[in-house]
Amino acid sequence: MSPLDTRDTGAFADALLPWYDQHARDMPWRVGPAARQSGTAPNPYHVWLSEIMLQQTTVAAVKDYFLKFVSIWPRVEDLAAADDDAVMAAWAGLGYYARARNLLKCARAVVSEHEGVFPQTEAELLTLPGIGPYTAAAVSAIAFDAPSTVLDGNVERVMARLHDDHTPLPDVKEKLRAYAAAKTPEHRPGDYAQAVMDLGATICTPRNPACGICPVMRMCAARRAGTAAELPKKKRKAAKPIRTGTVFVAVTRQGDVLLERRPEKGLLGGMMGFAGNVWAETPEPAEPPIDATWRRLDAKARHTFTHFHLELSIMLAIVDFTDEMTAERRFDPQSLPTVMRKVWNIVSEELR
């Protein structure tokens, strides 16, 4: 099959679905193939919630968060009515906090505009806050069995290898979408979408793909060419810059901790954290949030975000509670975003 040939006779799905029936991954949000074929329909709320959580996050990291969310907010109506702070605290540690803000906006739109019922088509789903092309396709396919073309990193890798396409990402993305669209069947499209993602996650892996046990090995041009492990090609990424900043941690003698809410827009938007300056490669001088005797700790908190590395200097003060402070009296470090938890871990060691 040539790299530009997107034709498919259904053979790919015909080979893949029996494998999925035997080897589907067990996930708390998933209705397995046997249950689905016997008439059990997926819960659209569960499908949507899991897809939002899984963006740029592993299945292993998401499972416990998903179970926590559906335990606290079992229906989309419950999530829509939830307190923003409670949702952000429950999300803490999962990262990419704009997802949590959009989660609430989307849940409220489903309730207010769709009477608590998720739209079924990609076009309608795309009108909801925080839902882009991938999520719209995934929810319509998995929840509603629509023949939507789902294209995540796993599917991109499978398609690049099937066609032995050496065009680097991201330039090749639309070509990979065309390959994937040609292979999306009208029969069992929801199971198929999950099957091709499972194939990429468990067999057609980034490193050391298990070509010898792949259910579609005979169709794979890269396997025949011996190039599977090289694909997909990616453009060389520029080195991540290092940004720095300063945070101020004030702990009262009564055991309270001074926190501030970050602006709604921007990194860690809406989350609680320690006061400080704007993180930058050459940051502006940091101004302490209150008058106190501050001392700089030797250790720095280090964290890596998608586009940069961060190093935070930590200033610590032990203070008396005053009316000018808004202190968190029931301080739970687990409700902080990961970078702020790293700061607190260093401070905790200092306070021992």
Side-chain angles (χ1 to χ4, degrees):
M1 184 180 294
S2 71
L4 294 177
D5 185 3
T6 61
R7 293 172 297 173
D8 189 81
T9 62
F12 181 76
D14 289 344
L16 185 61
L17 283 167
W19 170 84
Y20 177 71
D21 290 341
Q22 294 295 318
H23 301 284
R25 290 181 292 173
D26 183 20
M27 301 177 183
W29 51 83
R30 176 180 283 182
V31 173
R36 186 161 190 154
Q37 291 180 67
S38 67
T40 302
N43 184 327
Y45 171 55
H46 289 184
V47 175
W48 162 76
L49 180 60
S50 66
E51 289 297 338
I52 298 298
M53 289 182 165
L54 285 165
Q55 292 171 7
Q56 298 179 289
T57 310
T58 66
V59 168
V62 163
K63 283 183 177 180
D64 287 344
Y65 280 90
F66 173 84
L67 292 171
K68 176 170 62 176
F69 265 70
V70 296
S71 173
I72 301 171
W73 303 290
R75 304 174 306 146
V76 69
E77 292 88 347
D78 301 317
L79 183 59
D83 178 75
D84 288 41
D85 285 348
V87 173
M88 298 302 285
W91 189 277
L94 198 54
Y96 302 99
Y97 293 95
R99 293 181 299 168
R101 298 194 298 276
N102 285 329
L103 195 76
L104 278 168
K105 292 176 184 176
C106 186
R108 289 164 182 166
V110 170
V111 171
S112 64
E113 299 171 17
H114 299 275
E115 299 181 342
V117 178
F118 276 87
Q120 298 189 18
T121 68
E122 283 185 78
E124 289 178 296
L125 287 162
L126 280 169
T127 67
L128 295 172
I131 292 189
Y134 164 76
T135 305
V139 173
S140 63
I142 298 169
F144 302 111
D145 220 22
S148 302
T149 301
V150 178
L151 191 73
D152 71 348
N154 286 314
V155 180
E156 288 177 346
R157 186 166 57 256
V158 169
M159 295 301 147
R161 290 172 176 175
L162 279 171
H163 295 267
D164 196 30
D165 199 314
H166 290 246
T167 309
L169 285 164
D171 297 347
V172 75
K173 186 176 287 283
E174 289 310 309
K175 198 190 295 186
L176 298 180
R177 187 181 303 280
Y179 296 151
K183 290 174 173 54
T184 300
E186 294 288 333
H187 175 61
R188 297 179 63 190
D191 281 344
Y192 169 82
Q194 295 171 105
V196 71
M197 288 190 282
D198 277 13
L199 181 71
T202 63
I203 301 292
C204 197
T205 52
R207 298 179 182 177
N208 303 315
C211 298
I213 58 172
C214 178
V216 294
M217 68 171 78
R218 292 180 177 83
M219 304 176 194
C220 184
R223 178 178 179 269
R224 292 194 296 272
T227 59
E230 304 172 19
L231 300 176
K233 293 289 180 65
K234 297 179 181 179
K235 288 184 176 179
R236 186 183 298 272
K237 292 183 178 180
K240 290 183 179 181
I242 298 175
R243 298 183 189 176
T244 60
T246 300
V247 288
F248 295 88
V249 182
V251 180
T252 75
R253 291 181 175 83
Q254 294 78 19
D256 305 319
V257 178
L258 178 64
L259 299 175
E260 69 171 15
R261 186 179 304 282
R262 295 179 65 84
E264 285 297 321
K265 293 185 178 180
L267 202 60
L268 308 183
M271 298 295 292
M272 299 299 290
F274 302 109
N277 58 354
V278 176
W279 306 332
E281 291 181 55
T282 53
E284 295 292 327
E287 295 292 335
I290 60 173
D291 290 331
T293 301
W294 297 93
R295 62 185 178 94
R296 185 181 300 272
L297 303 187
D298 293 333
K300 291 185 177 181
R302 293 178 172 84
H303 189 70
T304 296
F305 290 95
T306 305
H307 301 298
F308 65 94
H309 301 293
L310 176 66
E311 292 184 355
L312 289 177
S313 297
I314 303 170
M315 303 295 290
L316 175 63
I318 308 300
V319 300
D320 289 311
F321 185 84
T322 66
D323 291 339
E324 65 180 300
M325 295 170 54
T326 301
E328 181 62 42
R329 292 175 176 272
R330 288 172 293 188
F331 175 58
D332 178 10
Q334 297 307 310
S335 68
L336 296 176
T338 303
V339 63
M340 296 297 174
R341 288 211 307 268
K342 290 180 177 179
V343 170
W344 180 249
N345 289 341
I346 292 170
V347 170
S348 296
E349 287 294 321
E350 185 71 19
L351 294 176
R352 286 183 181 176

